[in-house]
Amino acid sequence: QAQLVESGGGSVQAGGSLRLSCEASGRIYSSSVMGWFRQAPGKEREFVALIRWNSGRTLYADSVKGRFTISKGNNLNIVNLQMNVLKPDDTAVYYCARGSQYSTDQREYFNWGQGTQVTVAS
């Protein structure tokens, strides 16, 4: 199974932007769905965004719609998450995941990265 490694996390002021990247050690197959999830302190991990690799079809959580954009990287083994107009509520560890179902349910994802911390100061 491909390893997933996230990068791009950090600290930013509210209203700022960050770009997360997730690199797979191997090819991301066209049948895959790549997702981003996040877990804030004391909360359960939640869905953020997903992209179906072959069609490019995307889906976003209501809380990030219009602010975040998930996309394929120039390399076929990278998925990005552009995060704009960040809010303190966006503070969390962000995880990249790979699955095969177009689903917001994290149980449908079988390959996970280690996560990258995003902190948004007010």
Side-chain angles (χ1 to χ4, degrees):
Q1 237 177 31
Q3 299 295 311
L4 301 177
V5 179
E6 302 95 338
S7 61
S11 298
V12 65
Q13 293 291 317
S17 298
L18 283 173
R19 184 182 179 87
L20 304 183
S21 292
C22 171
E23 183 171 3
S25 60
R27 177 185 172 188
I28 298 175
Y29 291 99
S30 60
S31 59
S32 297
V33 173
M34 299 300 296
W36 285 96
F37 293 79
R38 68 186 181 186
Q39 186 167 20
K43 295 186 177 181
E44 294 186 353
R45 189 159 57 185
E46 64 177 7
F47 166 76
V48 175
L50 66 80
I51 184 168
R52 179 170 284 285
W53 212 244
N54 55 9
S55 66
R57 183 182 177 192
T58 59
L59 184 65
Y60 297 92
D62 287 344
S63 59
V64 307
K65 200 173 295 182
R67 299 188 298 123
F68 290 13
T69 302
I70 188 171
S71 64
K72 298 179 185 180
N74 290 332
N75 292 336
L76 294 179
N77 63 335
I78 292 178
V79 57
N80 297 315
L81 184 68
Q82 177 67 42
M83 306 186 296
N84 298 328
V85 195
L86 282 161
K87 305 174 181 180
D89 284 350
D90 295 319
T91 295
V93 177
Y94 283 71
Y95 298 90
C96 173
R98 184 168 67 112
S100 59
Q101 300 298 318
Y102 191 83
S103 173
T104 63
D105 187 343
Q106 58 184 299
R107 294 172 295 181
E108 297 289 351
Y109 294 78
F110 48 79
N111 194 191
W112 290 82
Q114 293 299 306
T116 185
Q117 176 70 46
V118 170
T119 302
V120 184
S122 58

